[in-house]
Amino acid sequence: MTNSGGGKDDDEALRRRLDRLSSRLDERNTRPDRNGDEVDVSASSTSRALSLGMRVLSEFVGGVIAGGGVGWLLDKALSTGPLFLIVFIGLGTATGFWNVYRMAAGSTGARGNSSNDARK
Amino acid sequence: MATPGKAIDPIHQFEVTPIIPIRIGGLDISFTNASLWMIVVLLASLGLMVYGTRKKSLVPDRLQAAAEMTYEFVASTVRGSAGREGMKFFPFVFSLFLFVLFSNMAGLIPGSFTVTSQIVVTFTFALLVILTVIIYGVVRHGTHFLHLFVPSGVSPALLWFVTLIEVISFLSRPISLSVRLFANMLAGHITLKVFGGFVTMLLGAGAFAALAPLPLLGVIAIYALELLVAVLQAYVFAILTCVYLNDAIHPGH
């Protein structure tokens, strides 16, 4: 609902302003460093370091626990003493290091190169 | 401790106690404080989204702005780490994120119960994520999904070893996903309680009561840190869910 007293000049000015605004918006959105990623919580360096530290810890512990679990289950199924438990705890530790290495190398896996580009 | 029966117990807050005992056929399905807080969390997140967006006004009020920001934030996370195709999992990731965020936040209310400080809850979420990944990956790609475990460009002599490591690594995902969230909430809440206990102990220790404000300051600082951790862990849970879903969408190369 435009004011009837305003006339054509106001419409013209309004349209020009809208055009200018939308072109500025387009420019902002297409700028390479500003594609919506920036608004995340991990923006501040403290919180990013905090979350990275917790991730390293849990990835490592997760690897060891998963390896031990697999070994324990194999031992239970095959009733082969503590053989597989020992072997798989070693493998699990290796997995833990591998997980941490992958994170440190900035990748979610040998195959995860595309995803890691998107996540910086 | 001054009074023997009333020791300060930092673990007490994690106890699940039945409010309405219900037993059906030997199964204990009582309505506990955990169930109560899950419902509170559910209603709070529903309230934010449904009540916040009821007006759909062009210029949002505060609640609508909060709801829209949460939506946009999770949407950009999903798009960023799982690609456009990942958006079909957006409702799943968004519900998980909201539930974890609200339970972490509700846990910070003094006297409340932290749902995510129970490993049963977080491990159930992690299993849900991993089962979604496996089922979707197998349905979509069939046996090609197994290429997830066979990295390309590894010498054949080492391939069996790396594949074994990759399988264990995949199995470790639900564990690390659940343990991280659970351990963060547990450790934070215990630290808060222990520092709070220091305040009361010092107050009851004669002249040392002059030192009591020191741990109180510590509690305030840790509380601020816990607020950060609560939001951050919900975010980390959501983004790792997206990363794992990405593996189901594009396994191998």
Side-chain angles (χ1 to χ4, degrees):
Chain A
M1 305 302 133
T2 50
N3 193 339
S4 60
K8 258 195 165 167
D9 281 354
D10 271 2
D11 272 7
E12 196 67 13
L14 185 67
R15 198 170 308 129
R16 246 182 288 132
R17 245 182 82 200
L18 278 177
D19 280 350
R20 208 165 55 234
L21 270 175
S22 68
S23 70
R24 263 169 58 193
L25 262 180
D26 282 349
E27 194 190 323
R28 258 181 97 84
N29 287 338
T30 50
R31 223 180 289 160
D33 60 348
R34 199 77 182 84
N35 46 10
D37 274 346
E38 303 293 309
V39 280
D40 64 18
V41 194
S42 63
S44 86
S45 62
T46 321
S47 55
R48 198 182 306 156
L50 207 76
S51 81
L52 194 70
M54 280 313 294
R55 274 193 67 186
V56 167
L57 180 72
S58 63
E59 294 280 339
F60 186 77
V61 173
V64 178
I65 295 178
V70 170
W72 184 73
L73 281 180
L74 277 178
D75 270 345
K76 237 186 128 176
L78 307 172
S79 56
T80 49
L83 173 69
F84 281 112
L85 182 63
I86 294 168
V87 171
F88 271 86
I89 281 183
L91 281 174
T93 313
T95 310
F97 279 118
W98 176 237
N99 286 344
V100 172
Y101 167 74
R102 265 202 316 228
M103 277 177 57
S107 163
T108 54
R111 73 265 161 198
N113 290 326
S114 56
S115 75
N116 121 66
D117 283 348
R119 300 172 50 218
K120 276 182 292 181
Chain B
M1 232 62 58
T3 43
K6 275 256 181 189
I8 296 163
D9 179 13
I11 306 293
H12 176 75
Q13 55 180 324
F14 303 115
E15 234 164 67
V16 178
T17 49
I19 298 174
I20 308 167
I22 306 169
R23 282 197 153 270
I24 294 180
L27 268 175
D28 189 4
I29 51 161
S30 309
F31 187 84
T32 60
N33 51 352
S35 342
L36 175 70
W37 279 96
M38 277 186 211
I39 289 173
V40 168
V41 164
L42 194 68
L43 289 182
S45 43
L46 263 181
L48 173 69
M49 295 323 283
V50 175
Y51 186 72
T53 56
R54 74 201 180 284
K55 279 188 290 193
K56 297 190 185 70
S57 54
L58 193 60
V59 179
D61 57 2
R62 267 174 296 186
L63 208 57
Q64 193 186 342
E68 284 176 2
M69 269 165 67
T70 324
Y71 175 90
E72 289 283 336
F73 172 65
V74 179
S76 77
T77 307
V78 175
R79 234 179 272 124
S81 40
R84 294 235 164 260
E85 247 187 291
M87 282 307 274
K88 72 176 73 155
F89 289 109
F90 174 76
F92 176 58
V93 179
F94 191 54
S95 323
L96 269 183
F97 174 77
L98 270 190
F99 192 87
V100 173
L101 178 70
F102 272 89
S103 24
N104 291 354
M105 287 305 211
L108 285 174
I109 302 168
S112 72
F113 181 84
T114 322
V115 178
T116 42
S117 69
Q118 304 288 324
I119 195 156
V120 189
V121 175
T122 58
F123 196 69
T124 308
F125 285 159
L127 272 189
L128 195 63
V129 170
I130 292 299
L131 286 180
T132 310
V133 166
I134 294 175
I135 292 171
Y136 182 76
V138 169
V139 165
R140 169 105 189 263
H141 299 283
T143 52
H144 182 66
F145 179 64
L146 294 177
H147 283 237
L148 186 68
F149 302 120
V150 188
S152 50
V154 179
S155 71
L158 271 175
L159 195 60
W160 67 272
F161 183 70
V162 175
T163 306
L164 193 58
I165 294 274
E166 285 285 344
V167 171
I168 299 179
S169 169
F170 188 81
L171 290 177
S172 79
R173 280 173 175 187
I175 299 173
S176 67
L177 194 60
S178 55
V179 165
R180 177 173 34 245
L181 180 57
F182 147 79
N184 264 294
M185 301 328 287
L186 187 81
H189 283 82
I190 289 181
T191 322
L192 276 177
K193 273 281 155 71
V194 166
F195 269 68
F198 286 164
V199 179
T200 54
M201 279 191 239
L202 279 172
L203 279 179
F208 289 110
L211 288 175
L214 286 179
L216 188 64
L217 285 177
V219 170
I220 295 168
I222 294 170
Y223 196 89
L225 184 73
E226 277 306 297
L227 271 178
L228 176 72
V229 167
V231 181
L232 202 65
Q233 286 308 314
Y235 168 67
V236 168
F237 200 92
I239 199 164
L240 283 178
T241 304
C242 296
V243 170
Y244 297 160
L245 285 172
N246 183 49
D247 280 344
I249 301 168
H250 324 274
H253 276 292

